Amino acid sequence: MDLAVVVSRAQLGIQAPPVHIEVHLANGLPGVNIVGLPETAVKESRDRVKAALTTSGFQYPARRITVNLAPADLPKEGGRFDLGIALGILAASGQIPAAALEGMEFLGELGLTGALRPVGGVLPASMASARDDRALVLAREDADEAALVNGARILPAGHLLEVCAHLHGQTALAPHAGRGPGDAPGPEPPDLVDVRGQPQGRRALEAAASGGHHLLMIGPPGTGKTLLASRLPGLLPPMAETEALETAALHAIGGLGIDPGRWRMRPFRAPHHTASGVALVGGGARPRPGEISLAHNGVLFLDELTEFDRRTLDVLREPLETGRITISRAAHQAEFPARFQLVAAMNPCPQGYDCDLGPRCRCTPEQRRRHRGRISAPLLDRIDLCIEMPRLPREVLMGNAPTPESSAAVRERVARCRALQMERQGTLNAALPGRELERLALLKPAERGLLEAAMDRFRLSARSYHRILRVARTLADMAGREAIAREDLMEALGYRAMDRWRERDGG
């Protein structure tokens, strides 16, 4: 037989499209030609494969070898096709039975000794092979990650000879039977019991968790903004299996690996304020996910928000609305999911003090306006909750205050509130579309007049109007009310600190 076909998988964003490795042996001057849009690392596989076959005791065909990686218009990168190319050459030359390759896919880089090396980021390939009902053969080091997929048939191997013995029916590869990383016990997330005082901050955090809302906290240093933000993942319910797999796949292809104790925990990403726009949204010559995608199904925390470059912050505007980011380059285009919950923190003025501290704060009104003006109005429009965090009173900080409520107690209420929303409308309140929002957030004439007066006074946009209604709907759900009450709307309007500041400062 002069032709053999082996199935493998490429990597394109979070997808793993199939690649059919077609190997043809022809008469002529011996040589290897790899076609199908291979990059340099793929072209170099000809030397790795030749050395691996000869050192493993196989006969390398002294014929003209053509390797086609189909489809031809899909970019092929890395050493993940080495194993498939080697097996294709062996099958085409009759050294292994070609029929044994059916129903299987192969991923792995070969060492010169024939050892099978990991390629990383195999979770998308495992998900795709499970959907297509094929077994996946790969390196042992990649097996734990691939085995996260429920129903996947994973056959780990350490050497090319082990794979060939399995195909010959001599010594079968043992299916992966070890515990996946998701089964390992994980550490407990930070607890809300560590946060002293700040009842409004705790209330806003619970509202953000209950409805999936974005949150901005404004206050001087030391008021607990970062402490509160780090407690949000502990208030959220564990991810469903599909959510956890999608998030884990993003971490895998981003080169972060998978934390054995945190596979089903919501991710918490906190990039430094010097991060660039590419670091946030992703990119590079070979597109990789950025911080917003690594925070998918979790929390993205931006501390010192006004220290970020304004153009960097503005790249968040579209993903906050769509939940996806498309990265386009000259030779590549990749789309990554990015449905995250934004939590941000900032100081009220350049010096960081409260603006009402008199002589302690030497910032002029113009300096404060410029400081807040580093955040664009369109970005602020996409943040549902904006609260002020005052300094803690001395008696709260140093006294024997009552033990605060724990994350477990708040998490139970959050779970009930989220379950109510999913049963009623199939989505969280933060993602309610306009038509559904008008149906579920009907206001009485008096409340509607109050909201109209607030919109006129603070010059609120239509987006802000809808976000106030979504927050009010969440507050009503937290209280167990079917309709939005006046106190819900008043509290939702109270979470517009930046609008009040802009109106007061004339900004």
Side-chain angles (χ1 to χ4, degrees):
M1 182 177 183
D2 295 332
L3 179 67
V5 180
V6 182
V7 180
S8 185
R9 292 276 172 183
Q11 181 178 302
L12 185 64
I14 200 173
Q15 305 299 323
V19 172
H20 291 81
I21 303 173
E22 301 171 340
V23 180
H24 180 254
L25 306 183
N27 296 326
L29 191 65
V32 180
N33 188 29
I34 301 178
V35 298
L37 211 59
E39 61 137 22
T40 303
V42 181
K43 293 178 181 178
E44 291 173 346
S45 67
R46 74 185 89 189
D47 300 315
R48 293 192 297 271
V49 168
K50 182 177 181 180
L53 291 177
T54 55
T55 57
S56 299
F58 295 103
Q59 180 182 2
Y60 193 78
R63 302 176 65 182
R64 181 154 189 84
I65 304 173
T66 301
V67 179
N68 178 39
L69 306 177
D73 58 347
L74 178 68
K76 321 299 189 307
E77 299 174 329
R80 58 175 49 213
F81 304 108
D82 288 5
L83 179 59
I85 293 174
L87 294 176
I89 292 175
L90 293 176
S93 59
Q95 298 181 67
I96 61 172
L101 298 173
E102 296 181 4
M104 303 178 72
E105 297 180 2
F106 302 88
L107 280 179
E109 179 182 331
L110 288 175
L112 301 185
T113 63
L116 199 56
R117 293 175 176 167
V119 296
V122 298
L123 189 54
S126 179
M127 296 166 65
S129 64
R131 285 195 302 267
D132 293 344
D133 195 25
R134 293 195 186 103
L136 180 61
V137 180
L138 37 62
R140 286 196 176 94
E141 293 85 347
D142 285 332
D144 283 344
E145 178 184 323
L148 287 175
V149 181
N150 187 25
R153 291 180 291 156
I154 307 301
L155 301 177
H159 198 279
L160 176 62
L161 289 175
E162 296 179 28
V163 179
C164 293
H166 175 84
L167 296 174
H168 273 293
Q170 298 170 349
T171 304
L173 293 173
H176 186 279
R179 291 193 311 170
D183 299 325
E188 288 294 325
D191 201 293
L192 201 58
V193 76
D194 301 326
V195 181
R196 289 188 171 224
Q198 300 297 0
Q200 186 189 24
R202 297 171 68 98
R203 170 74 173 174
L205 195 71
E206 182 177 347
S210 298
H213 303 288
H214 306 304
L215 172 64
L216 171 61
M217 296 177 284
I218 307 171
T223 54
K225 301 186 296 295
T226 302
L227 204 64
L228 274 172
S230 64
R231 270 63 185 165
L232 180 56
L235 305 183
L236 303 175
M239 290 187 286
E241 184 175 354
T242 53
E243 292 178 320
L245 285 174
E246 194 172 41
T247 302
L250 286 165
H251 286 201
I253 65 178
L256 299 183
I258 299 174
D259 190 337
R262 296 178 176 270
W263 177 53
R264 284 187 178 271
M265 292 178 62
R266 304 274 176 180
F268 181 80
R269 304 293 300 178
H272 193 260
H273 62 258
T274 56
S276 65
V278 172
L280 286 183
V281 303
R286 178 182 176 183
R288 301 181 70 172
E291 291 291 339
I292 64 173
S293 293
L294 298 177
H296 181 57
N297 291 319
V299 178
L300 177 68
F301 177 50
L302 301 183
D303 200 5
E304 305 295 346
L305 187 66
T306 53
E307 299 302 318
F308 281 83
D309 184 83
R310 178 167 176 162
R311 290 172 296 182
T312 299
L313 291 178
D314 282 343
V315 303
L316 299 175
R317 286 155 53 178
E318 290 84 358
L320 283 172
E321 291 287 334
T322 64
R324 306 195 71 81
I325 182 69
T326 301
I327 301 170
S328 299
R329 297 293 182 265
H332 299 275
Q333 186 179 55
E335 185 178 78
F336 298 108
R339 190 163 296 284
F340 58 93
Q341 197 165 345
L342 175 65
V343 180
M346 59 174 280
N347 295 329
C349 67
Q351 289 189 16
Y353 292 119
D354 285 72
C355 294
D356 299 326
L357 287 182
R360 288 190 61 186
C361 180
R362 300 179 180 179
C363 299
T364 65
E366 180 59 29
Q367 287 175 322
R368 290 197 291 267
R369 276 196 296 268
R370 285 202 303 267
H371 177 75
R372 298 162 191 164
R374 300 189 67 172
I375 311 171
S376 66
L379 178 61
L380 283 174
D381 263 356
R382 290 167 168 83
I383 298 178
D384 306 343
L385 308 170
C386 181
I387 63 169
E388 296 180 77
M389 298 275 289
R391 289 185 180 276
L392 288 175
R394 187 184 310 166
E395 56 272 16
V396 173
L397 185 62
M398 304 179 65
N400 295 322
T403 303
E405 198 173 23
S406 67
S407 291
V410 179
R411 185 165 54 244
E412 290 182 7
R413 296 198 297 268
V414 168
R416 288 196 298 268
C417 190
R418 283 181 165 234
L420 171 65
Q421 296 167 42
M422 297 303 294
E423 182 180 355
R424 183 180 61 208
Q425 69 234 13
T427 186
L428 295 180
N429 288 334
L432 267 177
R435 183 173 298 179
E436 281 291 295
L437 180 63
E438 293 295 336
R439 180 178 67 85
L440 296 172
L442 287 174
L443 298 178
K444 297 177 182 178
E447 282 72 28
R448 182 168 294 276
L450 175 65
L451 182 53
E452 291 174 354
M455 290 188 64
D456 291 339
R457 178 176 177 182
F458 299 118
R459 293 173 291 173
L460 300 180
S461 66
R463 182 182 285 114
S464 296
Y465 164 76
H466 286 125
R467 292 195 178 275
I468 290 171
L469 286 181
R470 291 187 181 102
V471 172
R473 180 65 266 174
T474 297
L475 296 173
D477 292 339
M478 292 168 62
R481 285 187 280 267
E482 293 187 6
I484 295 176
R486 186 179 183 85
E487 53 263 39
D488 301 323
L489 184 59
M490 291 290 291
E491 185 177 354
L493 288 171
Y495 294 135
R496 306 294 301 182
M498 189 63 81
D499 293 326
R500 294 195 301 272
W501 280 9
R502 285 189 300 187
E503 191 270 342
R504 182 183 64 189
D505 296 340

